[in-house]
């Protein structure tokens, strides 16, 4: 064997070893053309393909972001800003976006334009509220392919949020449902007041376990979301989801065999802002319907019902050093609900 051929042979075997250990995302090794490497090419190709065919070797999973969106210009601007941030921080191929156009104005978003084609994987036009739309539209999506599914209103702003950190902490906490801590924006003091102030960011905590998290913009493990959407009768009503957030942590905990006070968490180290666009009008207009829905949830799910005052007053903080301790929360705001 000539010295140059020996050198090529050694390089090819080194390449095969790299592919075997790291499963590098290179083109199919069978396409490589180098003298004397045919046997190595086939060995590397076999290993490469096996590693990617084996789901246990794959650690990358995607985030599905489900937005219920109107067509106001400020909504479009904010959502597009958020999508750009997701792609920049998580990578375009790791994020799938689903836009549910509840005002039937998908055309106003430039459907068919390069931005829509490049950034939106799923879309639908259907009247309804966020949770009712998610229950209807996500039946046709394979949720199991995703690590997390984030259910969002169109006035959440996470364009300055470390979303990678948010998901890392959720993984560390081993939760099934999470919500980023958030502040409230708005034009008056009632806009900025929290229904549950324990969801305000706490600088001394990475995250806090809680018996409840609000319906405003939580993210879920696939099994948790499937439980909430498709295996929870009397949970999501036609015009309201009041009461849903009082039972879903416990219901999901029973489903997956966890402590119901360790199933949900507020992620403090990656907060977002609720811009409070009020695109759906005043909630007080639907208070009677919502109250009836909450009574129905309570009547059918007493075993999973968590007193919101109990959940709000007591959380378990995991601090910046990784130590945990119980803490008493401020809960001075009135949620306006029955409990």
């Amino acid at each position: 064997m000539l010295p140059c051929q020996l050198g090529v042979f050694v390089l090819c075997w080194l390449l095969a070893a790299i592919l075997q250990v790291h499963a590098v995302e290179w083109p199919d090794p069978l396409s490589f053309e180098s003298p004397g490497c045919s046997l190595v090419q086939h060995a590397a190709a076999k290993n490469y393909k096996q590693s990617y065919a084996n789901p246990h070797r794959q650690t990358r999973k995607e985030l599905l972001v489900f937005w219920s969106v109107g067509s106001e210009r400020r909504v479009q601007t904010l959502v597009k800003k958020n999508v750009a941030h997701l792609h920049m921080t998580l990578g375009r191929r790791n994020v799938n976006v689903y836009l549910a156009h509840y005002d039937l104005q998908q055309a106003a978003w430039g459907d068919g334009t390069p931005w829509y084609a490049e950034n939106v994987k799923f879309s639908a036009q259907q009247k309804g509220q966020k949770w009712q739309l998610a229950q209807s539209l996500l039946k046709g999506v394979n949720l199991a392919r995703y690590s997390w599914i984030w259910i969002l209103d169109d006035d959440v702003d996470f364009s300055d949020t470390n979303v990678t950190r948010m998901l890392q902490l959720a993984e560390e906490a081993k939760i099934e449902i999470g919500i980023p801590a958030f502040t409230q924006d708005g034009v008056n003091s009632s806009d900025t007041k929290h229904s549950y102030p324990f969801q305000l960011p706490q600088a001394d905590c990475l995250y806090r376990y809680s018996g409840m998290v609000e319906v405003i913009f939580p993210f879920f493990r696939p099994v948790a979301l499937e439980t909430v959407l498709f295996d929870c009768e009397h949970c999501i009503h036609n015009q309201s989801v009041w009461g849903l957030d009082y039972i879903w942590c416990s219901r999901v905990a029973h489903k997956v065999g966890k402590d119901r006070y360790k199933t949900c968490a507020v992620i403090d180290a990656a907060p977002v802002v609720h811009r409070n666009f009020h695109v759906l009008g005043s909630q007080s207009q639907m208070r009677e319907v919502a109250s009836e829905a909450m009574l129905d949830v309570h009547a059918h799910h007493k075993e999973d019902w968590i007193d919101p005052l109990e959940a709000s007053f007591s959380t378990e903080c995991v601090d910046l050093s990784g130590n945990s301790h119980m803490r008493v929360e401020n809960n001075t705001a009135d949620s306006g609900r029955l409990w």
Side-chain angles (χ1 to χ4, degrees), residues 148-315:
W148 298 96
I149 302 98
W150 202 359
I151 309 295
L152 295 173
D153 290 339
D154 57 12
D155 56 358
V156 60
D157 185 352
F158 54 84
S159 59
D160 290 323
T161 299
N162 188 339
V163 180
T164 302
R165 182 66 168 148
M166 181 185 81
L167 299 178
Q168 287 174 339
L169 289 171
E171 296 275 357
E172 178 184 306
K174 296 181 172 60
I175 57 172
E176 304 296 318
I177 307 173
I179 191 170
F182 63 97
T183 54
Q184 299 261 102
D185 204 355
V187 297
N188 53 50
S189 58
S190 63
D191 284 343
T192 59
K193 181 181 288 188
H194 263 257
S195 295
Y196 299 106
F198 78 95
Q199 295 176 130
L200 281 163
Q202 302 299 315
D204 59 328
C205 299
L206 293 173
Y207 53 87
R208 284 167 293 144
Y209 292 108
S210 173
M212 72 161 288
V213 294
E214 213 172 342
V215 295
I216 188 168
F217 28 70
F219 54 94
F220 299 78
R221 289 295 198 187
V223 170
L225 185 59
E226 288 169 348
T227 300
V228 170
L229 294 182
F230 312 130
D231 188 24
C232 194
E233 294 183 5
H234 299 274
C235 293
I236 297 176
H237 295 75
N238 289 337
Q239 299 182 61
S240 175
V241 290
W242 273 24
L244 175 62
D245 44 11
Y246 294 169
I247 61 102
W248 62 13
C249 294
S250 176
R251 186 168 182 83
V252 169
H254 289 147
K255 179 77 172 182
V256 300
K258 288 187 175 181
D259 181 342
R260 70 178 186 171
Y261 292 104
K262 289 291 186 72
T263 300
C264 297
V266 180
I267 310 299
D268 290 292
V272 303
V273 180
H274 180 212
R275 294 298 179 193
N276 256 333
F277 287 165
H278 295 299
V279 291
L280 295 179
S282 173
Q283 192 179 60
S284 62
Q285 298 171 359
M286 301 180 61
R287 189 169 301 279
E288 183 176 349
V289 172
S291 297
E292 291 176 359
M294 176 174 281
L295 288 170
D296 189 58
V297 173
H298 181 261
H300 288 89
H301 297 282
K302 291 180 181 178
E303 72 281 4
D304 289 318
W305 190 269
I306 292 179
D307 186 330
L309 293 181
E310 174 191 353
S312 300
F313 277 127
S314 179
T315 62

Side-chain angles (χ1 to χ4, degrees), residues 46-92:
K46 181 179 179 181
N47 177 72
Y48 176 91
K49 290 175 180 177
Q50 285 179 344
S51 69
Y52 278 86
N54 182 353
H56 299 292
R57 293 287 298 273
Q58 294 191 31
T59 58
R60 183 184 69 84
K61 272 195 167 184
E62 297 167 343
L63 169 70
L64 175 62
V65 185
F66 181 91
W67 257 296
S68 172
V69 297
S71 56
E72 288 187 15
R73 179 55 56 187
R74 60 179 178 171
V75 167
Q76 293 190 43
T77 299
L78 180 57
V79 169
K80 290 179 179 179
K81 185 179 179 183
N82 284 329
V83 169
H85 180 66
L86 284 175
H87 288 162
M88 181 180 67
T89 56
L90 298 180
R92 183 178 295 271

Side-chain angles (χ1 to χ4, degrees), residues 111-127:
D111 182 21
T113 62
W115 182 89
Y116 207 96
E118 293 170 6
N119 292 280
V120 181
K121 184 174 180 64
F122 306 103
S123 64
Q125 297 190 89
Q126 184 171 313
K127 286 188 176 295

